Amino acid sequence: MIVKPEVLVTRAVFPEVIARLSEHFQVDSNQSDETWNKAELIERLQGKAGVFTTGSERIDADVLAACPRLQICANMAVGYNNFDLDAMTDQGVLGTNAPDVLTQTTADFGFALLLAAARRVCESEHYLRAGQWRRWRYDMFAGAEVHGSTLGILGMGRIGQAIAKRGAMGFDMPVVYHNRSRLTPEIEAICGARYVSKEELLRTADHLVLVLPYSHQSHHAIGASELDQMKASATLVNIARGGIVDDAALADALRHGRLAAAGLDVFEGEPTVHPALLALKNVVLTPHIASATMPTRMTMAILAADNLIGFLTAGQAIAPLNPQVLSLPQHAQRKG
Ligand code: 8YV
C-alpha cells in the first residue's frame, strides 16, 4: 500500500483546495481557523513533509529544526517575510510563494485606496450616515485631484508596474518611481513611468503608493523625515507590508496637516492598528484585503497547493523562492 505524505494546512482555506491536496496527501487542516502559537504550530507539524501557510505564520530556524521531516513551506501570498528563507536554504527546505496571480487585483485595490483617501470617500460617507448632511457647500469634502496629478510609486515590481499603467493610461497621470534597480527603457515606456531618486519621488508625488517588499532594509522606509519631504497636499497609500511605514510618525503628520490623507491596508503589528491612526478622519483603513476577491484568493490557494503537490510528488515547484534546494544532491535533501 502506498502511504501518502502528510501535509499541514495552517489556516482555513477553500474546501476545494483541501480536496485537491487530499488526492495526494494525508491532510491535517485547520478549517476551524484556530490561532496557534509557535509551540502548537511545531506540534502540528510533526511528521509533516509539507506545510501550506498564509502570510500570518512565521517559519523560522527554530520551527525548521524542530520539524526535521518538513521539506517544503508553500505560502499563499506573494510576500514571504514570514519565512526565514536563509534558514530554509541552510536546512534544505524549499520555500514557495504565490506571485503573478494577484498582481492586477492588488493593483486595483491600491487605486481604490488612493481614490478613497484623496477624494475623501469614507470620511464623507460617515458624515452622511451620521445624519450630518443638511445642504450643499462649495468646499464640502473637497479633496485632491487624482487625474493629471503626479503618481509616485516606491517599489516597481509586478504590482508597482500594474499601478503605473492604471495611473498613466486610465488617469492621465505623470508617473515617477523609485526602485532598487531601474527598469529597462522598454518596460518604463510600457508603464509610462520615469525613474527618479527617492528624494525626488518624495518631493514630487501628489500621491505615493508603496509596493516594496518588507525586509530589514525597507523597515520604516517612510518615517518622519521622509514624510517631511512630501507635499502637505499629498496622499500616501501602503498596500505593501506593515513596518515599511512608521505608523506613529504617519499619524502625527496626518494629525498636524503635514500630509493630507492616507490609505492603509497593512499595519505595524497587525491586526492591531496604532490607536492614533484609528482616531483620524483623513485615513482610510482596511484589514489587509488588497488581494481579496474570491477568484484571486482561490487562484492563490490553488497555486500554493500546486507548489506542494509538484514538489512532493515530482520534485518540481511552480514558484520556488530558493530553487537551489531543488538541485541539492540526494544525501543533502530532507526526507519525508
Ligand atoms: C495575502 C499578501 O492575502 O500576497 C501577499 O503578500 O499580502 C496578501 O495577498 C496575505 O499575505 C495572506 O496570505
Side-chain angles (χ1 to χ4, degrees), residues 218-238:
S218 63
H219 182 75
H220 285 189
I222 301 293
S225 89
E226 288 77 13
L227 291 163
D228 277 348
Q229 295 171 61
M230 292 178 68
K231 296 181 186 179
S233 56
T235 311
L236 179 73
V237 173
N238 187 7

Side-chain angles (χ1 to χ4, degrees), residues 38-268:
K38 189 170 178 173
E40 288 164 331
L41 174 66
I42 288 174
E43 195 186 316
R44 292 294 282 256
L45 276 172
Q46 292 313 300
K48 305 296 187 317
V51 61
F52 178 120
T53 50
T54 69
S56 317
E57 295 79 48
R58 175 110 190 107
I59 306 288
D60 59 16
D62 299 339
V63 174
L64 298 170
C67 306
R69 300 183 70 166
L70 190 63
Q71 298 168 58
I72 170 171
C73 304
N75 224 21
M76 182 192 151
V78 63
Y80 51 90
N81 54 305
N82 57 315
F83 286 177
D84 182 338
L85 199 61
D86 290 338
M88 285 186 185
T89 308
D90 284 351
Q91 302 211 26
V93 175
L94 185 70
T96 63
N97 69 339
D100 300 316
V101 293
L102 46 57
T103 300
Q104 301 303 332
T105 302
T106 305
D108 287 347
F109 196 78
F111 239 90
L113 275 184
L114 191 167
L115 286 164
R119 297 300 310 274
R120 306 175 68 178
V121 173
C122 302
E123 188 187 352
S124 61
E125 198 215 358
H126 291 150
Y127 171 90
L128 180 153
R129 284 181 185 273
Q132 292 174 286
W133 185 26
R134 304 265 183 264
R135 56 190 185 138
W136 182 91
R137 206 189 121 86
Y138 75 98
D139 61 350
M140 190 167 72
F141 293 107
E145 208 69 88
V146 175
H147 74 274
S149 60
T150 299
L151 174 61
I153 301 175
L154 185 56
M156 199 60 159
R158 289 165 285 232
I159 299 171
Q161 292 173 34
I163 290 170
K165 288 180 194 159
R166 281 162 177 71
M169 287 159 211
F171 290 80
D172 210 12
M173 298 168 94
V175 181
V176 286
Y177 78 96
H178 184 74
N179 195 41
R180 274 175 306 187
S181 50
R182 188 173 170 172
L183 303 177
T184 62
E186 292 74 22
I187 298 179
E188 285 185 352
I190 291 169
C191 296
R194 187 167 65 85
Y195 180 81
V196 293
S197 65
K198 186 175 172 190
E199 292 68 31
E200 188 176 342
L201 180 78
L202 295 169
R203 206 164 21 83
T204 56
D206 293 309
H207 309 283
L208 178 61
V209 184
L210 309 177
V211 214
L212 62 168
Y214 181 80
S215 66
H216 289 302
Q217 290 77 36
S218 63
H219 182 75
H220 285 189
I222 301 293
S225 89
E226 288 77 13
L227 291 163
D228 277 348
Q229 295 171 61
M230 292 178 68
K231 296 181 186 179
S233 56
T235 311
L236 179 73
V237 173
N238 187 7
I239 52 167
R241 276 290 179 272
I244 288 175
V245 175
D246 177 343
D247 286 348
L250 173 61
D252 197 61
L254 289 166
R255 189 171 48 239
H256 294 104
R258 296 196 303 278
L259 189 76
L264 309 175
D265 188 48
V266 289
F267 305 89
E268 289 189 283

Side-chain angles (χ1 to χ4, degrees), residues 304-323:
D306 286 354
N307 276 317
L308 277 174
I309 295 166
F311 182 64
L312 291 175
T313 65
Q316 301 294 331
I318 302 161
L321 293 167
N322 50 353

Side-chain angles (χ1 to χ4, degrees), residues 14 16-17 76 98-106 108 289-304:
F14 299 95
E16 294 88 330
V17 173
M76 182 192 151
D100 300 316
V101 293
L102 46 57
T103 300
Q104 301 303 332
T105 302
T106 305
D108 287 347
I289 57 165
S291 67
T293 64
M294 289 303 257
T296 292
R297 284 283 166 84
M298 175 65 91
T299 318
M300 290 165 70
I302 289 175
L303 177 50

